[in-house]
Amino acid sequence: MIENFKLYSQYYNLLYYDKDYPAEAAYIIELIQEYFPNAQNIIELGCGTGKHASVFAEKGFSVLGIELSEDMLNIARQNENNRLRFQKANISNFKVDQKFEIALSLFHVISYLTDNSSLIRTFQLVHESLYDGGLFIFDVWHTPAVVSQVPEERIKKLSNDQIQIIRRATPSIFSEENIVEVNYDIEVSSLKDPTQLSFKEIHPMRHFCKNEIDLLAYSTGFEILKSEEFLTKNVPSNLTWGVAYVLKKINS
Ligand SMILES: C[S@@+](CC[C@H](N)C(=O)[O-])C[C@H]1O[C@@H](n2cnc3c(N)ncnc32)[C@H](O)[C@@H]1O
């Protein structure tokens, strides 16, 4: 089990070794400075292994990360300190005992909420957790890109001096629901010993257009302040997979 966990965390780190968390955190901090310059407290929904959260804490924010996966939390908790805390919960059903100026949900976490009731509930809970004027910043899959690029089967092979990963992704497309279910078959092999780990993950992902987010925001007490391509700040197009939205809480 411990060997499995070690392999799993090595797998996760290798899979996202080229994701530039410090640059992404800097981009988010720029958005915060633009729309809520005195913000200090952040709640991050679906914080995963806490890589963005750690950067925010290093930059002086107090961060509470909410995450459902025990595997992710075990990695995140290795960096816990008095400005960086984690709570195991579903983002559609969490309880917190304080308010925040900023709520974040990064790397397509909102796209994991595929049904309307979970989405509405999550937005309502975020609304309750924010001070008046607080911001909800998140990035989601963008419908125009999914429709024009059509996801297809892909195999990703990666290795470092510790492990080798082979990950096959097979998508199923549910056009009426705006959902793409990505079925992953994953094999992780240690290069140091005979340990191997094979597992499947199913990631049903929902994609959104601006009007849908606008409707969701309006019906849960937010307005959209900004939408742009995540990180590049470009105007979203059918080449834009991830769009960042900045929402402001407009009524209590
Ligand atoms: C693609 S990962 C992103 C993790 C992290 N935000 C990052 O940027 O590395 C999606 C994360 O959302 C979490 N997640 C998905 N649905 C969730 C839910 N309903 N409640 C809590 N966490 C959830 C998953 O466990 C996973 O850690």
Side-chain angles (χ1 to χ4, degrees), residues 3 6-7 10 160-165 187-197:
E3 281 310 307
K6 218 168 113 197
L7 265 191
Q10 285 174 348
N160 58 18
D161 57 349
Q162 308 272 334
I163 57 168
Q164 174 185 274
I165 298 174
E187 275 178 36
V188 190
S189 313
S190 168
L191 299 177
K192 302 275 178 193
D193 57 49
T195 323
Q196 269 199 334
L197 183 63

Side-chain angles (χ1 to χ4, degrees), residues 159-176:
S159 59
N160 58 18
D161 57 349
Q162 308 272 334
I163 57 168
Q164 174 185 274
I165 298 174
I166 303 177
R167 187 179 80 160
R168 181 191 299 271
T170 317
S172 307
I173 297 172
F174 301 91
S175 312
E176 280 300 326

Side-chain angles (χ1 to χ4, degrees), residues 56-91:
F56 298 131
E58 275 165 25
K59 300 287 179 194
F61 292 95
S62 287
V63 189
L64 173 65
I66 306 280
E67 171 59 51
L68 196 53
S69 156
E70 200 67 61
D71 287 327
M72 298 289 181
L73 276 176
N74 281 334
I75 302 173
R77 287 201 165 119
Q78 290 166 7
N79 295 315
E80 213 159 24
N81 60 48
N82 60 350
R83 279 211 301 268
L84 182 58
R85 293 170 301 128
F86 298 97
Q87 181 176 318
K88 183 174 179 189
N90 191 321
I91 60 170

Side-chain angles (χ1 to χ4, degrees), residues 157-220:
K157 286 187 185 172
L158 289 168
S159 59
N160 58 18
D161 57 349
Q162 308 272 334
I163 57 168
Q164 174 185 274
I165 298 174
I166 303 177
R167 187 179 80 160
R168 181 191 299 271
T170 317
S172 307
I173 297 172
F174 301 91
S175 312
E176 280 300 326
E177 283 86 30
N178 278 4
I179 292 170
V180 177
E181 195 175 84
V182 190
N183 298 281
Y184 291 112
D185 287 294
I186 301 150
E187 275 178 36
V188 190
S189 313
S190 168
L191 299 177
K192 302 275 178 193
D193 57 49
T195 323
Q196 269 199 334
L197 183 63
S198 298
F199 54 100
K200 289 179 187 294
E201 284 184 4
I202 302 175
H203 294 211
M205 304 294 290
R206 178 158 171 178
H207 45 91
F208 299 87
C209 59
K210 190 175 176 195
N211 258 353
E212 230 183 327
I213 297 293
D214 204 20
L215 183 62
L216 192 56
Y218 176 76
S219 61
T220 53

Side-chain angles (χ1 to χ4, degrees), residues 1-178:
M1 195 62 197
I2 290 170
E3 281 310 307
N4 273 2
F5 172 64
K6 218 168 113 197
L7 265 191
Y8 186 86
S9 60
Q10 285 174 348
Y11 151 74
Y12 190 83
N13 286 338
L14 178 55
L15 198 60
Y16 294 116
Y17 80 99
D18 59 348
K19 192 168 166 58
D20 194 344
Y21 281 92
E24 293 184 3
Y27 163 71
I28 297 296
I29 290 171
E30 231 181 90
L31 288 172
I32 295 172
Q33 277 162 354
E34 185 175 351
Y35 293 108
F36 206 137
N38 301 321
Q40 288 189 328
N41 294 298
I42 295 176
I43 181 167
E44 189 187 344
L45 309 182
C47 61
T49 57
K51 283 192 162 180
H52 292 115
S54 297
V55 182
F56 298 131
E58 275 165 25
K59 300 287 179 194
F61 292 95
S62 287
V63 189
L64 173 65
I66 306 280
E67 171 59 51
L68 196 53
S69 156
E70 200 67 61
D71 287 327
M72 298 289 181
L73 276 176
N74 281 334
I75 302 173
R77 287 201 165 119
Q78 290 166 7
N79 295 315
E80 213 159 24
N81 60 48
N82 60 350
R83 279 211 301 268
L84 182 58
R85 293 170 301 128
F86 298 97
Q87 181 176 318
K88 183 174 179 189
N90 191 321
I91 60 170
S92 304
N93 182 23
F94 65 90
K95 258 199 184 126
V96 284
D97 53 11
Q98 67 168 110
K99 292 217 182 224
F100 302 84
E101 290 97 15
I102 308 293
L104 303 175
S105 198
L106 303 174
F107 200 10
H108 314 145
V109 173
I110 294 300
S111 283
Y112 282 75
L113 303 176
T114 50
D115 63 287
N116 290 341
S117 56
S118 306
L119 276 167
I120 292 170
R121 191 66 199 127
T122 302
F123 276 55
Q124 286 171 335
L125 286 172
V126 170
H127 191 273
E128 281 170 26
S129 312
L130 285 173
Y131 290 112
D132 287 348
L135 306 179
F136 183 21
I137 305 174
F138 57 90
D139 58 316
V140 283
W141 279 23
H142 185 48
T143 298
V146 176
V147 170
S148 83
Q149 294 177 36
V150 188
E152 52 189 31
E153 180 168 303
R154 269 177 299 141
I155 295 183
K156 191 166 182 172
K157 286 187 185 172
L158 289 168
S159 59
N160 58 18
D161 57 349
Q162 308 272 334
I163 57 168
Q164 174 185 274
I165 298 174
I166 303 177
R167 187 179 80 160
R168 181 191 299 271
T170 317
S172 307
I173 297 172
F174 301 91
S175 312
E176 280 300 326
E177 283 86 30
N178 278 4

